[in-house]
Amino acid sequence: MTVSTHLPIQSDPPLLPWQTLPTMYDLPSDNPEDPGLPDEFHFFQPLLLYLTFLPTTYSLELTYSACDLNLYYDVNHLQWYKRPDWFGVVGVPRLYEGRDMRLSYAIWQEKVSPIVVVELLSAGTEDGDLGRTVSESGKPPTKWVVYEQILHIPYYFVFSRYTSEVQAFHLANDRYEPMPMTEGRWSVPELGLSLGLWQGEFQKVNRLWLRWMTEEGELIPVPSEVASAAETRASEAETRASEAEKDAAAAKLKAEKLAQRLHELGFDPDEID
């Protein structure tokens, strides 16, 4: 009788369901009918801009900024709006009519256009954000057209999280022109501020962020950084106080030893001038 010496063929174990399901990189983060809806970065980056937008040329009571808020711009088309990732306005009350938080920003009621807008670039919005799309008759104009030709927003920035590239534009003769950097940032003198890139940790994420700075390039701190700096100063003051106590104790001990030595030599320390 012949005995087979062949081993059974080993098959790969079946894949578990979670191994075959799409990852977050495979699934869309936006709605094809309304591209550019926020992902996590679209929440944190505008928040950092919001927290550091502290113009020195206007009081806080006349400074307003918002993230992902509907911006209505056409009285003839009341349903048309743009939703900037972040925008800042000066010269309007922080609260709507001084009494309520805004549900939207209607330009015909506010009567003041934003002074600056920041859009976060994504594949679904790139052409419209950068003025590469021609507006179709009877349909809402692109963001570029609204910001440049309808609202005449003086400063417009487009930031890509993937390339860390910022494209900056300044309104000149009713048209956006590329805005040059000065010492690594973009100056906005009307606000007494500059906008620049910063490598650091925000919301426990370390990456390159876009944030507001002083005209001289100093970071405008967020509340958590203010609290951390205060804790550091308190700790340093406590350390200095502790060291001062140690120095005083050491000086006292040294004086006592000197007095004892003088007594041993027959001198009265109180009589020595």
Side-chain angles (χ1 to χ4, degrees):
M1 182 176 62
T2 304
V3 178
S4 174
T5 58
H6 295 290
L7 296 175
I9 298 174
Q10 298 290 331
S11 60
D12 294 332
L15 292 175
L16 298 173
W18 65 266
Q19 292 176 305
T20 61
L21 292 173
T23 71
M24 73 171 190
Y25 298 106
D26 305 313
L27 297 169
S29 63
D30 58 5
N31 182 344
E33 297 180 359
D34 190 11
L37 292 178
D39 55 18
E40 193 172 23
F41 176 74
H42 278 69
F43 175 72
F44 288 148
Q45 175 59 87
L47 177 61
L48 180 57
L49 293 169
Y50 176 86
L51 293 173
T52 57
F53 185 64
L54 298 174
T56 62
T57 53
Y58 286 83
S59 67
L60 290 178
E61 290 75 15
L62 292 176
T63 299
Y64 177 73
S65 72
C67 312
D68 202 35
L69 189 77
N70 287 359
L71 173 59
Y72 291 90
Y73 55 87
D74 192 333
V75 293
N76 297 313
H77 297 87
L78 299 181
Q79 300 304 314
W80 286 6
Y81 64 87
K82 298 303 176 188
R83 191 171 56 241
D85 290 313
W86 178 89
F87 68 92
V89 194
V90 289
V92 296
R94 167 63 187 85
L95 295 175
Y96 176 69
E97 294 185 339
R99 58 181 173 81
D100 198 6
M101 291 185 291
R102 287 174 173 84
L103 302 175
S104 61
Y105 193 92
I107 196 67
W108 55 84
Q109 289 186 315
E110 306 284 357
K111 296 181 175 58
V112 179
S113 289
I115 189 172
V116 57
V117 165
V118 175
E119 293 287 0
L120 305 177
L121 206 60
S122 60
T125 64
E126 181 173 355
D127 289 341
D129 290 349
L130 295 174
R132 300 171 184 163
T133 302
V134 178
S135 298
E136 299 181 30
S137 177
K139 292 187 177 181
T142 64
K143 286 182 177 179
W144 180 280
V145 171
V146 171
Y147 300 161
E148 178 193 62
Q149 300 176 25
I150 298 176
L151 295 179
H152 307 288
I153 296 173
Y155 296 92
Y156 179 38
F157 298 89
V158 181
F159 179 38
S160 170
R161 65 174 289 194
Y162 301 105
T163 65
S164 296
E165 178 186 9
V166 178
Q167 298 182 64
F169 304 94
H170 182 222
L171 198 65
N173 298 319
D174 294 327
R175 288 292 181 268
Y176 278 139
E177 295 184 357
M179 185 177 174
M181 298 178 73
T182 302
E183 297 181 352
R185 56 190 183 276
W186 296 272
S187 177
V188 184
E190 296 93 328
L191 301 174
L193 298 175
S194 62
L195 191 64
L197 290 170
W198 165 73
Q199 180 72 45
E201 184 174 299
F202 178 66
Q203 296 296 309
K204 302 186 185 303
V205 179
N206 194 304
R207 59 159 289 122
L208 201 62
W209 299 97
L210 191 65
R211 70 182 288 171
W212 289 103
M213 309 174 183
T214 67
E215 284 191 285
E216 295 73 29
E218 296 181 5
L219 297 180
I220 296 175
V222 300
S224 60
E225 292 170 337
V226 173
S228 178
E231 289 178 3
T232 299
R233 289 193 297 270
S235 177
E236 291 175 348
E238 184 177 347
T239 298
R240 289 194 297 270
S242 177
E243 291 175 350
E245 289 179 2
K246 291 178 181 179
D247 290 343
K252 180 180 179 181
L253 180 60
K254 184 177 180 180
E256 291 174 349
K257 288 182 178 180
L258 178 59
Q260 182 180 357
R261 180 59 177 161
L262 290 173
H263 277 299
E264 292 173 354
L265 295 174
F267 295 98
D268 185 350
D270 295 331
E271 295 179 357
I272 297 177
D273 189 358

